[in-house]
């Protein structure tokens, strides 16, 4: 009997289905498609952190370090070693209990290297594909200049913001115009003369400066010639810096009675309220809150620049993150650092007043956004100027800094001419460096 075309097709389909079913049934278990493997949860890791040497509250450490890391990496726990004093690091070295991560000032990196503490981060930058172009290139350049072959011994984390803080009440009292962004040191000195006055037996100061280092980095001045290990103070730049300080404090009534108080000027602005202007790196929010709560009207203007030198204001003045050579968890430690430098974490810290090292302009413009005391203040002042070119640092900078600071006090308060003061500082520094080498 003839079979129809439809029946042929149906029969072939059945045979094919049966054949496929038979093949499937004959497969071994190992040949069957496997379910995707479920990766095991990472082993818990605890990383110790030393903030050298500054203290933060447990709440601040949790907010700025531990919590963001825990959110990104639930298996990583950060523990703050809570730096006690300047000797704490030495004690950790002796006891072989160095932390995994150290947050330290970039200016202290030479000291860290002299103790053989930091690991070079470049291999981790490559393996973790971290984009260094997101970070202020001058800060990276400064760190690389400290290594012998361009090593990256620290990852910049936060910049120090510089500005002129001013007491609007005193400007109103003496009828002086408020400072504006872009003013030079000469402009500020001229304005200071209008505010360094005595009134009702109270001596008011027009302009006070904090530590010398902001102006030193502003002029990109090296303390020591790294090629010779000799003092580098005999230069036009150091001469300009010394003469600028003297011009400020030669204004009648603007100088403290004793030379030991030359750099201790902040309280006269915050507590005494006798200083109209105070130029320095960022003032802690707790101190500005004290000023705000006293009813004082205050604001900020851009840090002074030198005439003819553009808008360069301050070099690599801030903190960076180091991974110690002894850490057993370098990869995890670097991932922690990378996350602390993410847009998300940097933005939140920036809004709380920790000035970002990122070059992202959308983040930069949101400085102090979470702070009620900065509402209505001239936040743009902190970003009005550009960063200065980094200076070449030396392992003997701290020795030179001590000698130069003494020389600066002697010049501002003394009778010796600038050439004599610089020559004597050079001789004293070279002797101190030689003594250090003989130890």
């Amino acid at each position: 009997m003839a079979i129809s075309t439809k029946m042929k097709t149906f029969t072939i389909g059945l045979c094919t289905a049966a054949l496929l079913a038979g093949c499937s049934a004959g497969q071994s278990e190992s040949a069957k498609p496997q379910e995707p493997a479920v990766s095991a949860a990472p082993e818990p890791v605890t990383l110790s952190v030393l903030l050298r040497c500054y203290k933060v509250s447990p709440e601040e450490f949790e907010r700025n370090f531990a919590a963001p890391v825990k959110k990104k990496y639930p298996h990583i726990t950060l523990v703050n070693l809570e730096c006690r004093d300047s000797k704490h690091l030495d004690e950790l070295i002796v006891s072989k209990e160095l932390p995994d991560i150290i947050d330290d000032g970039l200016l202290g990196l030479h000291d860290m290297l002299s103790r053989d503490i930091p690991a070079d981060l470049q291999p981790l930058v490559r393996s973790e594909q971290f984009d260094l172009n997101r970070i202020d290139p001058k800060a990276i350049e400064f760190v690389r200049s400290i290594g012998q072959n361009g090593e990256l011994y620290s990852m910049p984390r936060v910049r120090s913001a510089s500005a002129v803080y001013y007491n609007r009440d005193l400007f109103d009292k003496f009828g002086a115009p408020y400072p504006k962004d872009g003013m030079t040191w000469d402009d500020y000195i001229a304005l200071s003369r209008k505010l360094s006055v005595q009134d009702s037996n109270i001596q008011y100061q027009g302009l006070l400066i904090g530590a010398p280092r902001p102006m030193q980095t502003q002029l990109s001045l090296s303390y020591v010639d790294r090629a010779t290990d000799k003092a580098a103070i005999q230069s036009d730049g150091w001469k300009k810096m010394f003469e600028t300080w003297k011009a400020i404090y030669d204004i009648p009534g603007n100088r403290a009675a004793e030379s030991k108080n030359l750099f201790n000027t902040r309280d006269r602005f915050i507590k005494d309220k006798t200083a109209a202007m105070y130029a320095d790196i960022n003032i802690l929010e707790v101190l500005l809150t004290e000023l705000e709560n006293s009813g004082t009207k205050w604001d900020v203007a851009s840090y002074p620049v030198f005439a003819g030198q553009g808008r360069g204001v301050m070099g690599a003045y801030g903190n960076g993150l180091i991974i110690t050579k002894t850490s057993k968890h370098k990869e995890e430690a670097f991932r922690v650092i990378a996350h602390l430098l993410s847009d998300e974490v940097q933005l939140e810290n920036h809004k709380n007043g920790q000035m970002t090292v990122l070059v992202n302009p959308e983040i930069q413009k949101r400085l102090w956004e979470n702070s009620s005391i900065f509402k209505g203040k001239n936040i743009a002042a902190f970003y009005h100027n550009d960063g200065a070119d980094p200076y070449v640092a030396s392992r003997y900078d701290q020795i030179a800094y001590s000698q130069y600071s003494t020389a600066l006090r002697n010049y501002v308060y003394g009778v010796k001419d600038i050439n004599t003061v610089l020559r004597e500082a050079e001789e004293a520094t070279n002797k101190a460096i030689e003594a250090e080498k003989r130890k």
Side-chain angles (χ1 to χ4, degrees):
M1 183 176 63
I3 301 174
S4 69
T5 303
K6 288 184 178 180
M7 182 61 72
K8 286 181 181 179
T9 304
F10 177 72
T11 304
I12 293 171
L14 285 175
C15 292
T16 303
L19 179 63
L20 289 174
C23 292
S24 176
Q27 284 181 334
S28 68
E29 288 297 319
S30 61
K32 290 181 179 180
Q34 299 295 308
E35 292 292 328
V38 178
S39 58
E43 289 290 327
V45 175
T46 298
L47 301 178
S48 53
V49 181
L50 178 70
L51 310 180
R52 188 202 183 214
C53 189
Y54 64 98
K55 295 183 179 181
V56 298
S57 67
E59 294 77 17
E60 288 175 309
F61 183 79
E62 181 69 17
R63 181 187 70 190
N64 297 333
F65 294 91
V69 170
K70 181 64 72 174
K71 181 180 178 181
K72 174 73 173 178
Y73 299 109
H75 67 292
I76 297 179
T77 300
L78 298 187
V79 176
N80 182 11
L81 293 188
E82 297 185 12
C83 186
R84 296 190 301 273
D85 52 43
S86 59
K87 297 179 181 179
H88 193 181
L89 182 62
D90 293 324
E91 295 169 2
L92 293 172
I93 293 173
V94 171
S95 63
K96 297 183 179 180
E97 296 177 343
L98 278 172
D100 298 282
I101 299 171
I102 300 177
D103 187 303
D104 190 26
L106 294 178
L107 297 180
L109 190 51
H110 261 295
D111 178 59
M112 287 289 189
L113 281 174
S114 70
R115 302 164 189 250
D116 196 30
I117 291 175
D120 183 8
L121 301 180
Q122 289 188 125
L124 290 164
V125 168
R126 288 191 291 269
S127 64
E128 297 294 326
Q129 298 182 328
F130 184 84
D131 185 7
L132 289 175
N133 294 320
R134 298 172 54 249
I135 299 177
D136 178 2
K138 291 184 178 178
I140 294 293
E141 181 185 349
F142 178 77
V143 173
R144 289 196 185 282
S145 73
I146 293 175
Q148 293 297 317
N149 298 294
E151 296 90 346
L152 194 68
Y153 288 115
S154 178
M155 190 69 75
R157 181 183 70 84
V158 60
R159 289 174 56 188
S160 292
S162 59
V164 173
Y165 299 80
Y166 64 95
N167 186 322
R168 293 175 56 187
D169 293 336
L170 295 184
F171 278 81
D172 295 342
K173 179 181 179 69
F174 298 114
Y178 299 148
K180 298 179 180 179
D181 293 343
M183 288 173 57
T184 66
W185 282 107
D186 292 337
D187 294 331
Y188 274 105
I189 290 171
L191 185 55
S192 178
R193 292 193 179 98
K194 300 178 181 179
L195 296 152
S196 300
V197 298
Q198 192 172 58
D199 183 75
S200 300
N201 294 321
I202 298 176
Q203 179 63 55
Y204 293 94
Q205 297 86 34
L207 173 64
L208 301 179
I209 316 176
R213 273 184 164 157
M215 192 184 291
Q216 168 258 326
T217 63
Q218 179 178 26
L219 291 168
S220 306
L221 300 175
S222 292
Y223 289 97
V224 175
D225 184 335
R226 209 159 93 176
T228 62
D229 290 340
K230 299 293 185 182
I233 198 170
Q234 290 281 16
S235 72
D236 291 340
W238 280 107
K239 184 177 181 180
K240 177 185 289 188
M241 175 175 161
F242 273 51
E243 290 177 338
T244 301
W245 273 73
K246 188 167 177 60
I248 292 168
Y249 289 109
D250 272 355
I251 297 173
N254 200 48
R255 185 167 58 193
E258 298 178 335
S259 63
K260 67 179 182 180
N261 293 323
L262 180 60
F263 308 137
N264 301 323
T265 53
R266 189 177 59 197
D267 280 355
R268 278 182 270 167
F269 180 76
I270 296 290
K271 298 182 182 298
D272 302 339
K273 301 177 184 62
T274 57
M277 296 180 286
Y278 177 70
D280 201 7
I281 58 175
N282 49 300
I283 299 177
L284 295 176
E285 185 176 15
V286 64
L287 297 176
L288 291 173
T289 300
E290 177 183 333
L291 184 67
E292 180 87 1
N293 290 342
S294 72
T296 302
K297 296 183 179 66
W298 61 278
D299 208 335
V300 289
S302 65
Y303 198 81
V305 295
F306 284 93
Q309 289 193 315
R311 294 168 64 170
V313 67
M314 199 163 66
Y317 215 112
N319 276 35
L321 294 161
I322 292 166
I323 296 177
T324 61
K325 283 186 174 181
T326 55
S327 173
K328 297 179 181 179
H329 304 285
K330 291 184 176 64
E331 290 79 10
E332 290 86 352
F334 187 82
R335 287 166 192 154
V336 165
I337 290 175
H339 187 56
L340 293 176
L341 288 166
S342 66
D343 284 2
E344 173 191 354
V345 177
Q346 284 280 303
L347 172 59
E348 194 59 32
N349 289 346
H350 191 65
K351 287 158 63 177
N352 290 323
Q354 293 193 37
M355 198 170 183
T356 184
V357 293
L358 302 185
V359 295
N360 186 335
E362 294 304 310
I363 293 177
Q364 290 180 353
K365 67 184 181 183
R366 299 179 68 179
L367 181 64
W368 286 118
E369 194 172 281
N370 289 344
S371 173
S372 60
I373 67 168
F374 272 95
K375 298 296 183 185
K377 300 297 191 295
N378 180 29
I379 303 297
F382 293 107
Y383 276 102
H384 180 81
N385 297 313
D386 301 321
D389 292 332
Y391 69 96
V392 179
S394 158
R395 63 181 299 182
Y396 300 111
D397 281 359
Q398 190 57 41
I399 291 174
Y401 174 76
S402 177
Q403 297 294 336
Y404 294 7
S405 298
T406 298
L408 184 56
R409 284 192 183 94
N410 292 340
Y411 181 57
V412 170
Y413 282 84
V415 295
K416 294 180 180 178
D417 65 90
I418 184 66
N419 293 324
T420 301
V421 168
L422 296 183
R423 186 185 70 250
E424 291 178 350
E426 179 185 37
E427 293 170 354
T429 300
N430 289 339
K431 288 180 181 179
I433 291 174
E434 288 303 316
E436 178 67 20
K437 287 182 174 182
R438 288 194 295 268
K439 289 182 179 180

